[in-house]
């Protein structure tokens, strides 16, 4: 398969991948190789096994040809070298914690991080003797003042979940590198398409494949991607010790989503931007939180570091509406379903009480925040649906 020439565009290489793990069988679809046990021709083969060696098949939990195919393709998309798959995005986040930190270590987390990551950190702080501190996501190089001798890991998310501030990633990673602290980014929002973490000094990228990579709203999976082999091996060892694996059937679902991911992402991006623009002009809305807009915190970093935005953004309603009215608005929507896990074809909506989610950074808005995920419906129909639902606020 020499079709995958590295001089070609990434999108072409995603459609024409290079891996060929099942020689002699050629098709466009990935073969689904199911296995619990892997059998060996002789005991010499068994005794030569080394968990570090990715070229050896060892046990169905650790890797199969299907899961390795997915892992390799994700590394290509993200611009990384080594991928590990976990059964959810949150499980990938957990793998990073358990691979890198132990009792007595300190972790820095942005105040606008994906909420279950925050809960995970709080749990480790409460029950496992790990220090966890939250920082203002707009801190930039000021992160230097927070790093202690026992700080091992700095989380980043760009933009932050729900509130959409875009951090200065290279400023934070430059400080972290100088102080020998590992950085991990939750890069789910950009799908690895619109933000290239390893070009900005990040050590580990986490993807919730549940979202755009799958695109089908029918499978949960996560990934950690690295360029550094030592770091990869730390995560791999923790993954093995925790008994984490993924099914080849699920991998085949995610593999099916990859070639169309960029086309979907670009459509989500276009539709979301059109809706966000229209919402900006509505008197019910006090602020539209979309990184492509100049008034979004970190917009300059977005323009510098990103090539697109996808389907997720938030609005803050005017403070004259109470939370019950905003709930009524969300429930009045017809095409936007109430649900969390975005990345599929269907639009979603969810209200958030941001003030209750923060401890480190001031939240300047008074009204209720509503997050929209703009799916693949026709944008004009989505706009009409929102316009109709806004009437309940009258
Ligand atoms: C959805 C999501 C996750 C977790 O993904 P799951 O597969 O649902 O566990 C992690 N980070 C972000 C930013 C997400 O949106």
């Amino acid at each position: 398969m020499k079709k995958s020439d590295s001089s070609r565009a990434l999108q072409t290489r995603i459609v024409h991948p290079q891996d060929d793990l099942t020689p002699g069988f050629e098709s466009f679809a990935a073969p689904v190789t199911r296995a619990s046990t892997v059998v060996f021709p002789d005991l010499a083969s068994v005794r030569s096994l080394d968990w570090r060696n990715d070229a050896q098949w060892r046990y169905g939990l650790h890797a199969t040809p299907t899961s390795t195919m997915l892992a390799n393709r994700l590394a290509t998309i993200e611009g990384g070298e080594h991928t590990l798959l976990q059964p959810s995005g949150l499980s990938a986040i957990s793998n990073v914690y358990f691979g890198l930190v132990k009792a007595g270590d300190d972790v820095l987390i942005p105040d606008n991080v994906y909420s279950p990551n925050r809960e995970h950190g709080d749990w480790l702080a409460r029950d496992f003797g790990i220090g966890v501190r939250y920082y203002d996501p707009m801190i930039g190089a000021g992160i230097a003042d927070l790093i202690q001798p026992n700080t091992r890991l700095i989380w980043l998310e760009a933009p932050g979940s729900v509130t959409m501030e875009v951090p200065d990633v290279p400023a934070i990673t430059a400080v972290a590198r100088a102080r020998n602290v590992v950085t991990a980014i939750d890069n789910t929002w950009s799908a690895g398409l619109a933000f290239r973490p390893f070009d900005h000094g990040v050590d580990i990228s986490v993807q919730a494949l549940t979202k755009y990579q799958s695109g089908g709203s029918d499978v949960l999976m996560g990934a950690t991607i690295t360029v550094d082999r030592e770091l990869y091996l730390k995560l791999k060892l923790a993954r093995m010790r925790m008994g984490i694996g993924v099914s080849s059937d699920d991998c085949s679902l995610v593999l099916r989503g990859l070639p169309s991911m960029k086309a979907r992402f670009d459509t989500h991006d276009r539709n979301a931007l059109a809706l966000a623009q229209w919402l900006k002009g509505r008197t019910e809305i006090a602020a539209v939180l979309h990184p492509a807009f100049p008034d979004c915190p970190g917009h300059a970093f977005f323009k510098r570091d990103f090539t697109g935005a996808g389907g997720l953004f938030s609005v803050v309603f005017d403070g004259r509406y109470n939370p019950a009215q905003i709930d009524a608005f969300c429930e009045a929507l017809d095409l936007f379903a109430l649900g969390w896990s975005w990345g599929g074809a269907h639009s979603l909506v969810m209200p958030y009480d941001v003030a209750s989610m923060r401890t480190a950074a001031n939240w300047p808005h008074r009204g209720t925040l509503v997050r929209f995920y703009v799916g693949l419906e026709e944008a004009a129909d989505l706009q009409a649906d929102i316009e109709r639902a806004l009437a309940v606020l009258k």
Side-chain angles (χ1 to χ4, degrees):
M1 281 207 190
K2 52 228 156 294
K3 275 184 282 189
S4 183
D5 175 337
S6 66
S7 71
R8 292 192 172 133
L10 177 59
Q11 175 57 21
T12 305
R13 286 184 284 132
I14 293 170
V15 176
H16 294 270
Q18 194 150 30
D19 47 35
D20 184 12
L21 297 165
T22 47
F25 183 84
E26 287 217 33
S27 77
F28 294 133
V32 179
T33 47
R34 294 195 192 94
S36 52
T37 200
V38 170
V39 297
F40 306 95
D42 48 47
L43 288 171
S45 310
V46 175
R47 285 168 192 142
S48 77
L49 289 176
D50 177 353
W51 66 272
R52 295 172 193 81
N53 185 350
D54 289 330
Q56 292 174 331
W57 304 112
R58 175 186 174 88
Y59 196 56
L61 183 67
H62 301 158
T64 67
T66 313
S67 75
T68 298
M69 200 172 263
L70 175 59
N72 290 344
R73 292 182 190 183
L74 291 169
T76 300
I77 293 173
E78 201 86 11
E81 294 285 333
H82 313 285
T83 301
L84 292 164
L85 300 171
Q86 297 86 3
S88 68
L90 181 56
S91 171
I93 290 168
S94 177
N95 197 154
V96 172
Y97 278 113
F98 281 96
L100 299 183
V101 297
K102 60 183 188 318
D105 289 346
D106 173 65
V107 181
L108 289 167
I109 304 174
D111 209 18
N112 58 0
V113 81
Y114 174 67
S115 291
N117 184 337
R118 193 176 183 112
E119 280 197 31
H120 202 300
D122 291 347
W123 173 53
L124 295 180
R126 201 169 50 241
D127 294 348
F128 292 82
I130 288 157
V132 161
R133 291 176 297 144
Y134 294 92
Y135 67 89
D136 180 339
M138 302 315 291
I139 198 167
I143 195 92
D145 298 334
L146 297 181
I147 294 176
Q148 302 172 350
N150 64 338
T151 304
R152 293 282 170 272
L153 171 67
I154 299 174
W155 277 103
L156 298 111
E157 200 174 319
S161 274
V162 179
T163 49
M164 303 290 156
E165 302 93 334
V166 183
D168 186 347
V169 175
I172 293 174
T173 58
V175 170
R177 276 189 183 233
R179 305 281 292 272
N180 228 352
V181 181
V182 174
T183 54
I185 193 166
D186 185 332
N187 198 28
T188 303
W189 189 85
S190 87
L193 295 173
F195 180 79
R196 317 280 301 153
F198 305 114
D199 293 347
H200 301 284
V202 175
D203 295 311
I204 301 170
S205 184
V206 169
Q207 286 288 343
L209 309 176
T210 309
K211 308 291 171 49
Y212 291 124
Q213 285 81 357
S214 145
S217 308
D218 57 357
V219 62
L220 287 138
M221 204 180 293
T224 52
I225 303 148
T226 51
V227 284
D228 182 286
R229 185 167 158 82
E230 287 309 307
L231 213 42
Y232 162 71
L233 291 177
K234 282 185 183 175
L235 300 182
K236 187 176 183 186
L237 190 58
R239 181 183 183 273
M240 204 163 68
R241 287 174 170 164
M242 291 194 287
I244 291 176
V246 295
S247 90
S248 293
D249 295 83
D250 286 352
C251 290
S252 78
L253 290 176
V254 179
L255 279 161
R256 192 161 63 163
L258 295 184
S260 65
M261 177 164 72
K262 184 166 190 310
R264 289 182 280 112
F265 187 85
D266 290 349
T267 303
H268 291 296
D269 190 352
R270 208 166 42 245
N271 287 350
L273 212 47
L275 266 187
Q277 202 74 52
W278 173 75
L279 282 162
K280 234 176 170 8
R282 296 290 306 198
T283 56
E284 298 91 341
I285 305 295
V288 175
L289 309 174
H290 189 303
F293 292 171
D295 57 349
C296 184
H299 168 70
F301 307 133
F302 176 77
K303 271 183 54 182
R304 184 190 64 193
D305 300 339
F306 286 69
T307 56
L312 205 64
F313 71 94
S314 297
V315 300
V316 180
F317 274 82
D318 190 279
R320 69 180 181 273
Y321 303 115
N322 63 44
Q325 285 177 289
I326 304 307
D327 286 359
F329 161 77
C330 292
E331 290 180 346
L333 288 163
D334 181 31
L335 294 175
F336 290 81
L338 298 167
W340 280 297
S341 202
W342 45 275
H346 297 76
S347 290
L348 299 169
V349 67
M350 194 58 78
Y352 289 88
D353 174 14
V354 178
S356 74
M357 295 156 58
R358 301 205 157 206
T359 53
N362 181 41
W363 176 242
H365 301 284
R366 204 160 62 82
T368 301
L369 181 146
V370 169
R371 186 181 77 175
F372 290 106
Y373 168 66
V374 179
L376 297 176
E377 301 92 341
E378 193 65 40
D381 289 330
L382 296 175
Q383 181 178 316
D385 192 35
I386 295 176
E387 188 157 24
R388 195 185 44 73
L390 284 172
V392 306
L393 297 175
K394 291 275 145 53

